[in-house]
Amino acid sequence: MATLEHTNFTVRDPQATAAWMKDVFDWKVRWEGPAIAGGYTVHVGSQHTYLALYAPNNPKITGESSYDIVGGLNHVGVLVEDIDAMEAKVRKAGFEPHNHADYEPGKRFYFDDDDGIEFEVIQYD
């Protein structure tokens, strides 16, 4: 069986994005430095998995919904042990949780970060 090791997506400020992810998710910066086409990347996550946060020299904001674009990033799912504690951390970081639901086999809520990336927080029962 294969395991997802990382995913890479574009943000305006990878260091700022990594900072809130460290505070909210308790992740660590694994590496950071210059990247393709004069950009900058920060790898943030755990020992075995991470998100690569890439910023090009001149980031462009589309304003389009990723759900309408083939190949778009729709959301990132993060599994937690205590969804209530995580929601408090998300709020403290300045993000507004929405779309709370209990479903088989657990609970979830969503929030959007400053780049408009949607995160789904999940706790299994």
Side-chain angles (χ1 to χ4, degrees):
M1 176 166 104
T3 300
L4 181 64
E5 195 255 349
H6 80 275
T7 190
N8 183 321
F9 51 90
T10 301
V11 298
R12 284 179 281 214
D13 183 342
Q15 291 172 318
T17 301
W20 76 253
M21 288 180 171
K22 288 168 45 182
D23 289 343
V24 172
F25 299 136
D26 295 323
W27 290 348
K28 307 289 184 232
V29 171
R30 297 167 37 116
W31 176 85
E32 67 179 283
I36 190 169
Y40 195 83
T41 297
V42 176
H43 294 178
V44 61
S46 69
Q47 180 180 356
H48 301 291
T49 64
Y50 66 96
L51 298 179
L53 309 172
Y54 170 74
N57 268 338
N58 187 18
K60 295 171 183 60
I61 300 170
T62 68
E64 296 181 47
S65 169
S66 61
Y67 285 91
D68 297 327
I69 300 169
V70 173
L73 171 68
N74 296 324
H75 64 260
V76 177
V78 180
L79 182 63
V80 301
E81 292 182 13
D82 185 340
I83 200 163
D84 296 325
M86 184 57 61
E87 183 169 356
K89 288 176 131 183
V90 166
R91 286 184 186 280
K92 184 177 179 185
F95 305 120
E96 186 61 36
H98 60 87
N99 199 18
H100 294 76
D102 290 345
Y103 70 108
E104 186 64 37
K107 301 176 186 177
R108 70 168 186 231
F109 70 84
Y110 295 82
F111 71 94
D112 299 326
D113 77 355
D114 294 328
D115 290 307
I117 298 170
E118 184 177 66
F119 289 82
E120 179 182 5
V121 178
I122 307 115
Q123 176 185 328
Y124 293 130
D125 294 333

